[in-house]
Amino acid sequence: MEISTLATYHCLAFAWYFFVAYSITHVRAEERPSEVFLYGGQWKYLTVLNLLLQAVFYGVSFLADVLRLIKKLRCAKRVISSRDLLFSVLAFPVSTFVCISFWTIYTYNRELVYPKSLDGVIPLWLNHAMHTAVLPFAVLEILAMPHRYPAKKKGLILLGFVAFLYISWVLWIYSVTGEWVYPLFALFSPLGLAAFFAGSLAIIVSFYSFGEFLNRMIWGQSKLCF
């Protein structure tokens, strides 16, 4: 794509994610179902954190495009480096994980991840904006332009660290409230939950590798994004 076209796309994507994140975080607390507790607010859900992540990523991408358009190349290089790290390590694998894991569990038993009582609070379009549209956006970003991936070890360490932070946040919430962020977690013994978290990490790592594979297949090993 031309830089101006990319800038337009990234600006629109940023505006979309900002709007979706705003919409979900302003669902009125008094309308929440009884099983949705207040502690941690909306920020205990990976889905909502992913919306914030995507908004940040597309905001950084738009900034990089603007800097390239106005020929601020030295600044653009630094921003592009941050953009590519965000996309490769977090934006693509987390979006893919959110979409596939949510709809897999939803199909099996929606009460484990998205109770039916939420239908009266969160409109259908917002559910799909959070859990469905994130994957096409991530794939479109790979098709739109190449991204530099970090060294595999660095990428996996960063991804693992972020996963550790989220799991720690989930466990902290349980220690304070006695309630699990997702009803699914209540089905497991401590050992089973550890195995579930380890399996989830393995899946998200596979999505990281898949994104790297797609990027390389579409754009070639040595194609630069600047």
Side-chain angles (χ1 to χ4, degrees):
M1 288 188 185
E2 295 291 334
I3 298 177
S4 57
T5 305
L6 280 172
T8 301
Y9 165 66
H10 286 145
C11 181
L12 291 174
F14 168 75
W16 166 253
Y17 274 113
F18 183 86
F19 169 70
V20 174
Y22 177 87
S23 298
I24 192 61
T25 54
H26 282 75
V27 171
R28 288 182 292 179
E30 62 269 19
E31 294 182 352
R32 77 189 191 282
S34 59
E35 62 267 30
V36 179
F37 54 95
L38 286 176
Y39 190 87
Q42 306 284 9
W43 308 111
K44 58 181 173 283
Y45 299 112
L46 183 60
T47 295
V48 179
L49 293 174
N50 181 55
L51 294 177
L52 179 62
L53 167 65
Q54 301 304 318
V56 170
F57 165 70
Y58 282 106
V60 171
S61 297
F62 177 60
L63 176 60
D65 297 334
V66 170
L67 290 173
R68 293 173 69 189
L69 283 171
I70 63 176
K71 307 301 183 183
K72 299 290 186 179
L73 301 185
R74 182 174 298 178
C75 293
K77 286 182 179 179
R78 289 193 288 268
V79 176
I80 286 172
S81 179
S82 299
R83 177 201 69 191
D84 288 347
L85 189 65
L86 267 175
F87 180 76
S88 60
V89 175
L90 294 176
F92 181 84
V94 174
S95 285
T96 307
F97 180 81
V98 164
C99 179
I100 293 179
S101 62
F102 175 83
W103 288 113
T104 299
I105 299 171
Y106 184 99
T107 301
Y108 172 72
N109 183 355
R110 65 170 297 176
E111 295 299 318
L112 297 177
V113 67
Y114 192 84
K116 190 173 179 61
S117 54
L118 287 174
D119 291 346
V121 180
I122 300 176
L124 182 62
W125 75 265
L126 187 52
N127 182 17
H128 283 292
M130 295 188 297
H131 298 116
T132 308
V134 291
L135 181 55
F137 266 104
V139 173
L140 182 57
E141 178 65 24
I142 282 187
L143 296 175
M145 62 184 304
H147 297 81
R148 281 188 175 181
Y149 273 67
K152 194 73 168 230
K153 182 178 179 180
K154 177 183 178 181
L156 293 180
I157 288 175
L158 288 174
L159 179 58
F161 178 69
V162 172
F164 171 78
L165 288 179
Y166 181 68
I167 292 171
S168 298
W169 174 226
V170 168
L171 295 176
W172 170 259
I173 290 173
Y174 179 74
S175 73
V176 172
T177 66
E179 301 283 348
W180 288 111
V181 171
Y182 297 103
L184 171 69
F185 297 159
L187 299 179
F188 297 104
S189 65
L191 183 60
L193 189 62
F196 176 82
F197 285 146
S200 298
L201 179 58
I203 291 171
I204 202 169
V205 165
S206 72
F207 292 149
Y208 169 90
S209 298
F210 181 63
E212 185 177 28
F213 169 78
L214 283 180
N215 186 72
R216 184 172 63 250
M217 290 297 294
I218 294 170
W219 299 102
Q221 184 68 39
S222 59
K223 180 75 174 178
L224 300 180
C225 56
F226 182 75

